[in-house]
Amino acid sequence: ERMTILQGGNVGIGHTSPSVRLHVKGSDAEEYIIVESTDSGDGNASLQLTNDAGSWLFQNKGTQSDNLVIRRSGVGDFLVVDTSGNVGIGTTNPIRPLDIGVSSGDNTIRMSTAGQAVDVINLRNADGRVGFGGDVITVSGSNVGIGTTSPNGTLDIVGPAGGLGELYIYDVDNGTATTDGFYFAKSS
């Protein structure tokens, strides 16, 4: 059989005993479900997923130059892939391979791990900082801070409270099994 409609309403295409609302099965290497808009006025082909909290749409959006869009119904577009492959999050017109924007608030890219209390990398736009390891290293404008989120100079190093504030610059081994370099420390 090509199509089966069971008494409970489940539909099978290429499948005689569908256990879900729609089950499509075929023996080709690639199987397709095509949703096509033939509207010549920039029609949108969409797949809508809805529950009691609202709807998400997966669209080929003709009104946006045939961009692929993931959007929340009544809220707006969250992710856009344009026809050149640029991905936009928070923007409908990405101009880079990954373009992230927000209309207000802190535009942050955050990478973290489940087992750690601090972010691994945190790129922020609201205050111009780039933080590594929970803001252990911060780049603000052209200043770099280590141990501070507000560097006051080109390189601003702040040790822990009560610490010695040490700075080491050296090579480990120059062939003589000795360490050469500079060591700066606040006296105790």
Side-chain angles (χ1 to χ4, degrees):
E1 289 184 42
R2 291 179 188 243
M3 186 166 95
T4 302
I5 302 175
L6 298 181
Q7 193 170 19
N10 291 353
V11 176
I13 300 173
H15 190 54
T16 57
S17 55
S19 60
V20 294
R21 293 285 180 218
L22 176 62
H23 187 149
V24 179
K25 182 178 180 181
S27 59
D28 290 342
E30 292 184 24
E31 296 295 336
Y32 296 91
I33 295 175
I34 297 174
V35 177
E36 182 177 355
S37 171
T38 59
D39 181 345
S40 61
D42 289 331
N44 297 327
S46 304
L47 176 63
Q48 181 171 319
L49 306 172
T50 302
N51 65 15
D52 60 345
S55 298
W56 284 92
L57 289 90
F58 188 78
Q59 295 181 311
N60 179 343
K61 204 161 186 183
T63 55
Q64 283 186 13
S65 303
D66 297 321
N67 290 343
L68 176 66
V69 175
I70 296 176
R71 66 185 326 262
R72 180 92 170 146
S73 183
V75 177
D77 299 343
F78 283 90
L79 185 131
V80 173
V81 180
D82 70 14
T83 55
S84 66
N86 290 338
V87 176
I89 299 172
T91 178
T92 58
N93 188 25
I95 59 173
R96 301 280 187 268
L98 178 59
D99 192 345
I100 300 173
V102 294
S103 58
S104 63
D106 193 5
N107 185 13
T108 300
I109 300 171
R110 179 178 174 228
M111 290 183 235
S112 63
T113 60
Q116 302 214 335
V118 297
D119 300 337
V120 176
I121 299 175
N122 194 356
L123 309 174
R124 302 167 51 103
N125 189 36
D127 55 9
R129 290 194 339 230
V130 177
F132 299 92
D135 287 336
V136 173
I137 300 173
T138 300
V139 178
S140 182
S142 61
N143 294 341
V144 175
I146 299 174
T148 177
T149 59
S150 303
N152 293 312
T154 304
L155 178 60
D156 188 351
I157 302 172
V158 178
L164 295 178
E166 301 169 337
L167 173 63
Y168 294 89
I169 303 171
Y170 62 90
D171 67 347
V172 176
D173 183 358
N174 65 359
T176 62
T178 60
T179 301
D180 297 327
F182 300 99
Y183 169 70
F184 302 94
K186 177 180 101 178
S187 60
S188 54

